[in-house]
Amino acid sequence: MHPPDHDIRNRLMLARLPAMPQILIKLIEMLQADDAGIPELAALIAKDAGMTGKILAVANSSAYHRASRVPGLEQSLVSLGTDMIKTLVISESVFQTFNSFPHSCSADLRAFWKHALGAAVVARDIARATAYPQVEEAYLAGLLHNVGRLALLAAAPREYGVNFMARDDADLCAVEQRTLQITHTEAGAWLIERWNLDSFLADSVLYHHEPVERLEAAHALIRIVRLAHLLVHHPESAGPIAAMAGYCGIDMQDLDAILKGAARQVQKAADYLGIDLAGADDVPALPAVNPAAPVDPVQARLQEEMRNMMLVAEMGQAFARQQGEGALLEAVARSARILFDLGTTVVLLQDPARQALVGVAAGEQQGRLAGFSIPLNRGGAIAGAAAARHVALLAPGTQPLGIAEEQLLRILGTEAMVCVPLASGNRCAGVLLGGVAAWQLPALHKRERFLLSFGGQAAAALEAAGAEHGAAQRQIAHVAQEYREASRRVVHEVNNPLSIIKNYLSVLDDKLARREPVVAELSVLNEEIDRVGQLIGGLTDVELSAAGCGAAADGAAGAVNVARVADDVLRVFRATGFIPPAVQVLVRMPDGPDDPNGIDGDADVLKQILINLVKNAVEAMPDGGRIEIANRGHVVRERCLYVELVVADTGPGLAPEVLANLFSEVKSAKQGRHHGLGLSIVHSLVQKLNGLIACRSGTAGTSFEILLPARRGNTRPAALPVATMDTTQE
């Protein structure tokens, strides 16, 4: 055990080491979530006065400032671009952290900062070249890779003061281990772990002196920081650098290009942060570069165009994330105010008939804009800009303005305005109007292409939002139509049991008057009332299916006896007098040990099928005839076993036009709102039983042949399409 005063770990615990700045922790969370937009970054940075001042100072420097006005924070962020913002925030946060270490103010940190910034720049460029997804994390890891040296200086200034200025290599680690029993890599990893960062930052710091051969399969961030450390601190180590480059998957030529631009980036970052690197050349420096050449105006213009394209693409992604037209229009107006330094903004959209531009009631001007309209066929500067899809810069005295333009200037409360068409392809969705000062018009004229691109992104987002709204409306209409059709089916089917109930009540009344037993009649009434409830309950299945909660379930599978169901149907019809005396009904159901009448299905569904078919057959023979319900035994179809059930009549047959749409919902010659649905319902009920149905019709009559899955062990056919057969009987 070492004496307590030499236990550096205890002294690290007791030292007042700074915590990670909250702004940096929040920024890292944003970057990991990959949703750091300009408004979110502005809200975060505004909480730190020092950071806000730094951003404004850089944005107003000669490298970025173009106008005579000092822009606000959001305009400054747009001017700098997302990448520069992230770099500045990370660097400034770490700079504040380093400078708040005890004894750091008395130490010369220039060489330390030069190496830290160098490792950060190189690590970031390596991350980009190797497609590492968290580029900012690599930059931060490079900045922090030697933070352990500051921690050791704070905890043991007397013992470590000389070593702090020593060359950062394996010999330094050996001295640290011998004198303090801890290396700066271990101290740095320990400190970062205290900051509770959810990443491999601590590991990249811990292993940045590890032998190269051990890192071949290490995490990508560890390999990136190790390679950056070698390039910055040990550029003469050709062998380890080549090996580490191979592990990272980067060519030496790419590394050379990274190093050539590193020194300038380090100096630029130091200038922005206010760090004086003069006198830091007593340690190995990064490769020297030639002084910056004069800026080529054409090149500068090209760079600005590229930057504008990237900003427009970013705006398009931001617009696509908005939910609803209102939120989208608000995002468009807000983005336009930030990007182009506009005052009040107004949006006019084309009406559905595409005859006029109408005001969108939003914000403080909703009362005045609700009834505002500009006809497109009467000319005017705004209507012309929308028709020609070009930017219009409008100000009194520079061109004639109509009443509508003068009204809008008063609404905007400015002396001039810019009109940006929201045009995508050949269609103009509307215009965005922004209030500006007259002196801003020349600068906006130079940014006309940028304005048009912005309007195109906004129009594309509006079109997509409109398409989504239209799809939602079509879905609602589809659901409503399905519900209406289902309701018609239910009303049609409920009429059958209600007719039976009505007739049975009449029979019941007669029997009660004669004091005869009515048990059988009451049983039938109960069954039919239950069937009415089941039919109405079927609407719930339709609602669930239409709402996307799954289709209605098949009929409850079970053993069903066809002969018993047919007998129940005829008993009901005969007891109520529905079948007239002139109509003869024959039932042919075979008996046998192989259960020829057994099917898999639902007895209520089969009963509903037979009631519809028998009812149709009776109505087709007003002058009398014969109806036959027959079980023709087992049939094999496509290796599946069925029971063939036939319902035939001797009526006049079906007309060809009826046969052509036999199982469709067509209007029949019968009276009533819901006639013509019976056979379409039969068709769907047979499908519900996983069966097949066919029809033969001619002058000698009509027969419906139904194949139902036979009850035979686990033999159960898959649901098959219903076939229709038409054979004319002469």
Side-chain angles (χ1 to χ4, degrees), residues 537-584:
L539 279 175
T540 304
D541 295 334
V542 173
E543 291 172 355
L544 291 174
S545 175
C549 301
D554 287 345
V560 177
N561 187 285
V562 174
R564 188 175 297 115
V565 174
D567 183 64
D568 288 344
V569 170
L570 291 181
R571 178 168 56 88
V572 169
F573 276 136
R574 284 171 175 153
T576 58
F578 180 81
I579 300 178
V583 176
Q584 180 185 10

Side-chain angles (χ1 to χ4, degrees), residues 494-531:
V494 164
N495 281 332
N496 290 333
L498 288 179
S499 298
I500 293 171
I501 290 171
K502 182 178 179 180
N503 291 335
Y504 258 81
L505 288 174
S506 176
V507 173
L508 195 64
D509 186 52
D510 292 340
K511 283 197 171 187
L512 288 174
R514 297 192 300 268
R515 298 188 176 184
E516 296 178 0
V518 293
V519 175
E521 285 75 9
L522 289 175
S523 175
V524 172
L525 284 174
N526 281 328
E527 291 178 3
E528 294 305 309
I529 290 172
D530 288 342
R531 193 152 70 91

Side-chain angles (χ1 to χ4, degrees), residues 139-391:
Y139 183 86
L140 179 58
L143 274 176
L144 295 175
H145 81 288
N146 266 339
V147 69
R149 301 186 71 178
L150 281 178
L152 292 177
L153 179 64
R158 180 171 54 85
E159 298 94 330
Y160 197 67
V162 176
N163 290 333
F164 180 75
M165 303 304 298
R167 179 184 172 92
D168 184 20
D169 55 16
D171 292 339
L172 173 62
C173 293
V175 171
E176 292 169 341
Q177 187 64 47
R178 185 173 65 253
T179 58
L180 301 174
Q181 290 78 49
I182 188 173
T183 66
H184 69 277
T185 61
E186 295 169 332
W190 170 83
L191 179 61
I192 292 174
E193 286 173 349
R194 283 184 62 221
W195 292 340
N196 295 320
L197 297 179
D198 184 18
S199 74
F200 286 92
L201 272 171
D203 292 338
S204 67
V205 170
L206 179 62
Y207 295 115
H208 80 267
H209 275 293
E210 198 71 15
V212 170
E213 58 272 10
R214 292 197 62 204
L215 301 181
E216 181 177 3
H219 186 269
L221 184 62
I222 297 174
R223 288 184 271 120
I224 289 171
V225 172
R226 181 69 173 109
L227 179 55
H229 173 265
L230 285 170
L231 290 168
V232 173
H233 291 272
H234 308 286
E236 75 285 352
S237 303
I241 289 175
M244 205 67 238
Y247 296 159
C248 290
I250 186 171
D251 295 332
M252 295 301 295
Q253 291 181 346
D254 293 334
L255 283 183
D256 290 340
I258 289 173
L259 284 174
K260 286 179 181 178
R264 183 181 301 162
Q265 293 185 60
V266 168
Q267 186 60 56
K268 185 177 180 181
D271 291 342
Y272 287 150
L273 295 170
I275 302 172
D276 182 12
L277 295 184
D281 296 328
D282 54 337
V283 293
L286 293 172
V289 295
N290 295 326
V295 178
D296 182 359
V298 176
Q299 185 69 19
R301 180 65 177 172
L302 180 60
Q303 290 177 354
E304 183 176 359
E305 289 293 332
M306 292 296 296
R307 175 176 165 276
N308 290 344
M309 290 173 60
M310 294 176 65
L311 282 173
V312 166
E314 186 174 342
M315 289 298 104
Q317 294 175 6
F319 296 157
R321 291 194 295 266
Q322 303 304 316
Q323 299 295 324
E325 185 180 271
L328 173 58
L329 291 175
E330 176 59 31
V332 169
R334 189 169 187 271
S335 299
R337 289 194 294 269
I338 294 172
L339 284 174
F340 307 109
D341 198 18
L342 306 181
T344 307
T345 54
V346 167
V347 175
L348 306 178
L349 296 180
Q350 278 197 16
D351 64 352
R354 300 186 182 183
Q355 299 297 317
L357 295 171
V358 296
V360 176
E364 299 177 355
Q365 306 293 338
Q366 54 182 324
R368 301 176 71 181
L369 289 173
F372 192 85
S373 176
I374 297 179
L376 290 172
N377 59 353
R378 296 183 184 176
I382 294 176
R389 293 189 288 279
H390 65 74
V391 174

Side-chain angles (χ1 to χ4, degrees), residues 581-642:
V583 176
Q584 180 185 10
V585 180
L586 302 177
V587 178
R588 304 181 189 276
M589 297 288 164
D591 296 325
D594 58 348
D595 190 18
N597 291 309
I599 66 168
D600 275 337
D602 186 337
D604 289 334
V605 174
L606 179 58
K607 185 176 182 180
Q608 197 174 345
I609 292 171
L610 292 179
I611 286 176
N612 271 288
L613 293 178
V614 172
K615 186 170 179 289
N616 285 349
V618 170
E619 292 173 347
M621 299 183 296
D623 299 326
R626 186 177 73 254
I627 299 174
E628 181 178 357
I629 305 174
N631 179 353
R632 293 181 180 173
H634 288 148
V635 173
V636 176
R637 176 72 63 84
E638 296 180 0
R639 295 182 296 178
C640 293
L641 190 65
Y642 294 90

Side-chain angles (χ1 to χ4, degrees), residues 85-105:
I85 296 165
K86 295 171 183 175
T87 299
L88 279 174
V89 173
I90 292 172
S91 302
E92 176 66 19
S93 298
V94 174
F95 180 53
Q96 294 175 9
T97 302
F98 284 0
N99 285 341
S100 60
F101 273 84
H103 300 284
S104 63
C105 294

